[in-house]
Amino acid sequence: MFKGLNFKTKAYLIFIYLLALLLIIFCFKKYGFNINASLSEVVLFCFLKVVSESLQVYFNNMTISTGFTITLASMVIFNPVFVIIVITIGMLFRVVKNNNKYYHIFNTPAYKTLFNISLINICFIVSSQIYEACGGRYGNPEMKDVIFPIFLFGIVFWILNWALLCLLMHYWRDMRFSSVIFQNSKVVFLGIICMIPLGIIILEAYKAYGYIGVLVIFGPIMLARYSFVMYSNMKKAYVDTVKALSLAIEAKDKYTEGHSMRVFEYAEKIARNMKYSEEHIENLRIASLLHDIGKIGIPEAILNKPGRLSEDEYAVIKQHPVIGANIIKDVDALKKSPKIVRWHHERYDGKGYPDGIGGDDIPLDAYIISIADAFDAMRSDRPYRRAMTKSQAVNIIKDERGKQFHPKVADVFLDILKSEGDK
């Protein structure tokens, strides 16, 4: 069942399954088996839950769906036992599209399906108990009497969901927990500010107009979801276009195949460890993909020369940061990248090129790409030398700390390399 998972991930999944089971048993003992709803109401809310959970929007390693709105509304209208049924059916029969492939119960590993059902039930049951403890009631109470408990319910639900998912990423992908938490903080923020009000709207629509009210309101909610998808797709298309451009540059320089993507990955790791915001990281990722775009203006005879360059040839190569910065300087979407591209070969001691400046005159972003670029270059074969070992490259970074490389950036990168071991 757990094929391919490490021990910590397996243990965590089993813990989540058991915790969910205990909480579900607790709910059935506390509230009994009375769902306080008709069969048509069960069918309607289960249908809405399946649809809303199927139409997810992806953010980094996590997803956000409008399914929470159905959870919130059905809890206040009915009771926790009803919601457990709705959650379980919704998560069991959802059909999710990711990377042009559809995932459903028949082609998704059982441990993933069980985790999703368990996770949402845990978040709901814990949050519902807090809702109840703060004066929240079930069975269609007046909104003015439960508005505070509802918001508290939503906040606890999203924070708990976020924390438990981040723990999974921490164990499963061996990512630093603080980095995962920081990386996915937008998900919980969007959930709180967007989904709680939408859930309240569904609740009020049902109270006023019944089934028709819910179905009428559900349309605009799906439209809001569509807006999220359009934004996400546009952002992805933008990044994919930049990646394609970096690949076109590398096609001209046969010795740097895959270089930009590796610099992209190193730079992102450094930025996350330095607690950069998600927007800042996105700008850095774009700059890292474009850092060598100026090579498009360098003759291929120099780029692909099978040996060391002459002084004149090296002088030509040293112009690629300037050429690159000039190429993108008038592109409004890339307005934060030209300086980074221009200065990614500058040194902390001021002995770099093209401008020979250093210290605090160079932004940290340029130093981040500089060290990522240098490390990958050391670890790659060149016409005039073999690739260095990881330990050799690490020793050079240590020696050049405070000279070629910014001390703070070097320390962060060395910590990352140390945590990765011999990989």
Side-chain angles (χ1 to χ4, degrees):
M1 179 179 177
F2 297 118
K3 187 177 179 180
L5 300 180
N6 60 45
F7 175 77
K8 287 183 178 180
T9 304
K10 293 176 185 177
Y12 181 69
L13 291 176
I14 292 171
F15 166 75
I16 292 294
Y17 301 155
L18 292 175
L19 179 59
L21 180 61
L22 290 173
L23 288 173
I24 289 171
I25 292 172
F26 161 78
C27 271
F28 277 98
K29 281 192 172 183
K30 181 175 181 179
Y31 304 105
F33 290 85
N34 179 20
I35 60 174
N36 193 31
S38 65
L39 178 61
S40 60
E41 289 170 326
V42 173
V43 171
L44 171 66
F45 278 87
C46 284
F47 169 76
L48 294 177
K49 186 67 174 177
V50 170
V51 172
S52 58
E53 290 296 345
S54 297
L55 300 175
Q56 298 183 337
V57 182
Y58 285 82
F59 289 91
N60 301 315
N61 296 314
M62 293 188 179
T63 59
I64 187 169
S65 77
T66 54
F68 170 79
T69 62
I70 305 304
T71 299
L72 189 156
S74 57
M75 176 190 71
V76 179
I77 295 169
F78 304 106
N79 62 32
V81 173
F82 178 91
V83 181
I84 290 171
I85 294 170
V86 169
I87 287 173
T88 302
I89 292 175
M91 300 304 293
L92 194 62
F93 294 104
R94 67 177 185 165
V95 179
V96 179
K97 184 180 180 182
N98 186 23
N99 294 326
N100 295 318
K101 182 177 179 180
Y102 288 93
Y103 296 89
H104 45 76
I105 188 174
F106 299 111
N107 68 355
T108 301
Y111 72 83
K112 285 188 178 181
T113 301
L114 188 55
F115 174 80
N116 290 329
I117 294 172
S118 300
L119 175 71
I120 302 302
N121 271 306
I122 289 170
C123 295
F124 163 69
I125 294 170
V126 172
S127 304
S128 68
Q129 296 309 295
I130 292 175
Y131 165 83
E132 195 174 324
C134 294
R137 291 181 285 113
Y138 311 116
N140 259 339
E142 288 296 320
M143 180 57 63
K144 62 182 177 62
D145 296 330
V146 294
I147 189 68
F148 173 73
I150 282 176
F151 271 93
L152 195 58
F153 164 83
I155 291 168
V156 173
F157 181 99
W158 281 101
I159 291 176
L160 184 58
N161 182 66
W162 172 49
L164 292 176
L165 277 173
C166 286
L167 270 174
L168 176 65
M169 292 298 109
H170 169 63
Y171 294 129
W172 184 19
R173 300 190 177 180
D174 197 26
M175 300 170 69
R176 186 176 295 182
F177 183 68
S178 59
S179 298
V180 183
I181 281 282
F182 186 76
Q183 177 181 346
N184 295 289
S185 57
K186 276 188 177 179
V187 175
V188 68
F189 179 71
L190 284 171
I192 290 171
I193 67 167
C194 297
M195 297 306 160
I196 296 176
L198 289 176
I200 292 173
I201 291 172
I202 288 181
L203 171 60
E204 288 297 282
Y206 184 81
K207 289 171 68 175
Y209 304 105
Y211 301 154
I212 300 300
V214 173
L215 292 173
V216 168
I217 292 298
F218 200 64
I221 289 177
M222 289 297 99
L223 184 62
R225 178 261 173 194
Y226 179 73
S227 299
F228 277 127
V229 171
M230 289 296 292
Y231 168 76
S232 181
N233 288 344
M234 285 177 62
K235 193 172 180 180
K236 183 178 183 300
Y238 167 55
V239 174
D240 287 346
T241 301
V242 174
K243 285 181 180 178
L245 182 57
S246 72
L247 290 174
I249 298 162
E250 290 179 359
K252 186 177 179 181
D253 184 356
K254 65 183 181 182
Y255 297 114
T256 59
E257 184 178 359
H259 170 69
S260 292
M261 278 305 301
R262 291 190 294 271
V263 172
F264 170 99
E265 291 165 1
Y266 292 138
E268 181 177 8
K269 288 179 181 179
I270 295 169
R272 292 202 183 284
N273 275 267
M274 294 178 70
K275 303 295 187 291
Y276 276 22
S277 69
E278 206 60 41
E279 181 182 0
H280 196 161
I281 290 171
E282 188 64 32
N283 291 330
L284 184 64
R285 291 166 70 190
I286 296 301
S288 65
L289 288 170
L290 294 173
H291 76 280
D292 275 339
I293 190 175
K295 286 185 176 179
I296 204 166
I298 304 299
E300 288 187 42
I302 295 178
L303 285 177
N304 296 319
K305 182 179 177 180
R308 289 191 175 275
L309 301 175
S310 68
E311 287 188 15
D312 289 342
E313 289 167 336
Y314 187 52
V316 173
I317 282 285
K318 283 163 54 171
Q319 288 303 304
H320 81 269
V322 178
I323 296 170
N326 287 335
I327 288 172
I328 64 175
K329 68 179 182 180
D330 294 324
V331 181
D332 189 58
L334 303 174
K335 60 186 178 182
K336 296 183 179 180
S337 298
K339 287 183 178 180
I340 301 171
V341 170
R342 182 182 181 96
W343 290 332
H344 76 275
H345 278 294
E346 296 290 357
R347 294 168 52 105
Y348 187 69
D349 60 12
K351 296 178 181 179
Y353 64 85
D355 300 317
I357 55 178
D360 294 334
D361 292 331
I362 302 294
L364 276 178
D365 290 3
Y367 285 123
I368 289 173
I369 292 179
S370 172
I371 199 167
D373 180 42
F375 180 76
D376 187 68
M378 288 186 278
R379 296 282 287 135
S380 304
D381 287 327
R382 288 291 185 264
Y384 50 88
R385 64 157 174 81
R386 298 280 296 172
M388 297 180 191
T389 65
K390 183 173 181 178
S391 60
Q392 288 173 324
V394 165
N395 286 334
I396 289 176
I397 291 175
K398 289 178 179 177
D399 291 341
E400 292 295 322
R401 179 189 180 278
K403 292 182 280 188
Q404 179 177 351
F405 307 120
H406 191 290
K408 181 179 178 181
V409 176
D411 289 342
V412 170
F413 193 39
L414 287 169
D415 284 343
I416 292 170
L417 295 175
K418 183 178 180 180
S419 69
E420 291 177 347
D422 295 328
K423 291 186 286 183

